């Protein structure tokens, strides 16, 4: 918990500072690796030494078993990434030849919004162990209580993020990129919605992993993968560039609702 909390703070501060100094997402992303290594060496390794010899060679059979166990999560990660990247890909195919400036503005606007997405992601990271303990103890009341509290925090972030983006982020973007993005700021709020919806979805992905519903997680993502490919082109034709964001938001919200129902049905009560 302490490691995850510290990692979240370091990553958030590092990403924001590096991005606004360099305006380079690749360098800002590198700060995530640096923060992760700091936590690994300063906290995780010391904790691991309490119950295992970190210098001992790993058992190949156990490593193989672990890889097989994690294979479904790898498949899920691939499908989920494909869903999240699809709107931007199809948007580029449709608009790059028509309005190249808009695609440039789309990328400029979406980059700083990643900060909101990262903030949402690290809200729940320190509570993963608590969710696992409540599930193992069949304590559905505490499990759902913690889940609902985190969802309320997400709601707060959504309100602050949308209002803050409207009042502040637009001005910052104009200051950074001048009038290149001013006429495309209509893309901003839907992109903020995408970031928040992505954070909520990742939270439910973690919850389903904790309660060992990996197969259901894969099925839900496969259905979403098909759904977004049907919905997004239609919305782009009707709503223009914002149709890509609307398609992603609708898909992620529906996924989250389905996952919430799964949690309600499968988290166990005490006997």
């Amino acid at each position: 918990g302490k490691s995850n909390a510290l990692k979240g703070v370091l990553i958030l501060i590092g990403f924001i500072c590096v991005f606004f100094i360099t305006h380079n997402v690749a360098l800002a992303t590198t700060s995530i690796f640096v923060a992760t290594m700091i936590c690994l060496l300063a906290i995780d390794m010391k904790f691991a030494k309490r119950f295992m010899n970190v210098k001992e060679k790993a058992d190949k059979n156990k490593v193989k078993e672990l890889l097989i166990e994690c294979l479904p999560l790898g498949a899920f990660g691939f499908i989920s990434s494909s869903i999240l990247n699809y709107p931007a890909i199809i948007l580029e195919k449709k608009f790059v030849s028509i309005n190249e400036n808009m695609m440039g503005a789309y990328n400029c606007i979406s980059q700083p919004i990643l900060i909101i997405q990262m903030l949402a992601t690290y809200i729940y990271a320190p509570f993963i162990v608590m969710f696992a303990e409540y599930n193992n103890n069949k304590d559905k009341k505490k499990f759902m209580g913690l889940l609902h509290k985190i969802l309320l925090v997400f709601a707060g972030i959504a309100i602050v993020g949308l209002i803050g983006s409207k009042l502040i982020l637009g001005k910052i973007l104009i200051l950074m990129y001048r009038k290149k993005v001013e006429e495309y700021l209509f893309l901003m709020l839907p992109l903020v919605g995408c970031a928040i919806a992505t954070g909520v979805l990742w939270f439910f992905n973690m919850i389903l992993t904790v309660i060992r519903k990996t197969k259901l997680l894969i099925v839900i993502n496969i259905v979403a993968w098909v759904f977004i490919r049907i919905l997004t082109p239609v919305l782009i034709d009707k709503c223009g560039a914002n149709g890509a964001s609307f398609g992603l938001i609708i898909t992620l919200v529906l996924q989250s609702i389905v996952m919430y129902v799964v949690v309600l049905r499968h988290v166990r009560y005490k006997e």
Side-chain angles (χ1 to χ4, degrees):
K2 292 180 181 178
S3 176
N4 284 328
L6 177 62
K7 190 190 305 178
V9 172
L10 290 177
I11 286 176
L12 182 63
I13 294 173
F15 188 93
I16 293 173
C17 292
V18 174
F19 177 79
F20 279 105
I21 291 172
T22 66
H23 298 173
N24 189 308
V25 175
L27 290 176
T29 304
T30 303
S31 69
I32 297 176
F33 171 77
V34 174
T36 302
M37 291 304 297
I38 290 173
C39 293
L40 175 66
L41 297 174
I43 300 177
D44 295 342
M45 290 293 289
K46 290 182 179 179
F47 182 77
K49 288 178 180 178
R50 296 178 185 177
F51 57 89
M52 66 177 291
N53 182 1
V54 294
K55 295 182 179 180
E56 185 179 347
K57 289 186 177 180
D59 187 317
K60 291 183 179 179
N61 292 327
K62 290 183 178 179
V63 171
K64 184 178 179 181
E65 290 176 6
L66 181 61
L67 288 174
I68 294 172
E69 185 73 21
C70 293
L71 187 60
L73 287 175
F76 144 73
F78 176 79
I79 299 168
S80 180
S81 297
S82 178
I83 293 169
L84 296 174
N85 291 329
Y86 178 74
I89 292 171
I90 190 172
L91 190 66
E92 185 173 359
K93 287 181 179 179
K94 282 182 173 289
F95 284 92
V96 70
S97 59
I98 302 172
N99 191 342
E100 189 173 346
N101 290 333
M102 192 206 68
M103 285 307 306
Y106 182 91
N107 292 327
C108 292
I109 294 169
S110 63
Q111 287 175 1
I113 290 173
L114 289 173
I115 296 169
I116 299 174
Q117 185 173 312
M118 289 177 59
L119 176 62
T121 301
Y122 283 96
I123 286 171
Y124 60 81
F127 301 101
I128 295 175
V129 175
M130 294 178 66
F131 277 114
E133 289 178 352
Y134 293 154
N135 184 58
N136 290 335
N137 295 334
K138 300 181 182 180
D139 197 335
K140 186 171 185 175
K141 183 177 180 180
K142 288 185 178 179
F143 189 101
M144 296 306 299
L146 181 57
L147 184 147
H148 290 148
K149 288 176 183 177
I150 292 176
L151 288 179
L152 283 175
V153 175
F154 273 117
I157 289 177
I159 294 170
V160 173
L162 290 169
I163 295 174
S165 297
K166 182 69 174 178
L167 297 178
I168 301 172
L169 182 58
K171 294 178 181 179
I172 294 175
L173 289 169
I174 292 173
L175 184 65
M176 289 171 60
Y177 301 107
R178 302 184 184 278
K179 292 187 177 181
K180 292 180 180 179
V181 300
E182 189 171 4
E183 63 180 295
Y184 300 107
L185 287 180
F186 65 90
L187 298 169
M188 182 175 60
L189 291 184
L191 283 169
V192 173
C194 288
I196 296 165
T198 300
V200 174
L201 180 74
W202 285 351
F203 170 57
F204 277 109
N205 288 340
M206 180 273 292
I207 292 293
L208 262 67
T209 302
V210 166
I211 65 174
R212 303 295 181 89
K213 296 299 174 184
T214 312
K215 291 180 181 179
L216 273 175
L217 194 59
I218 293 174
V219 171
I220 292 168
N221 275 272
I222 290 174
V223 173
W225 185 86
V226 175
F227 179 76
I228 198 171
R229 276 160 172 73
I230 297 171
L231 179 66
T232 304
V234 175
L235 289 177
I236 290 176
D237 290 338
K238 289 187 176 182
C239 307
N242 275 333
S245 297
F246 294 152
L248 182 59
I249 292 171
I250 292 171
T251 302
L252 298 182
V253 169
L254 290 176
Q255 277 186 272
S256 297
I257 292 172
V258 172
M259 290 181 183
Y260 180 77
V261 173
V262 171
V263 173
L264 282 176
R265 290 176 59 87
H266 291 282
V267 174
R268 299 163 292 178
Y269 282 107
K270 288 182 179 179
E271 297 178 357

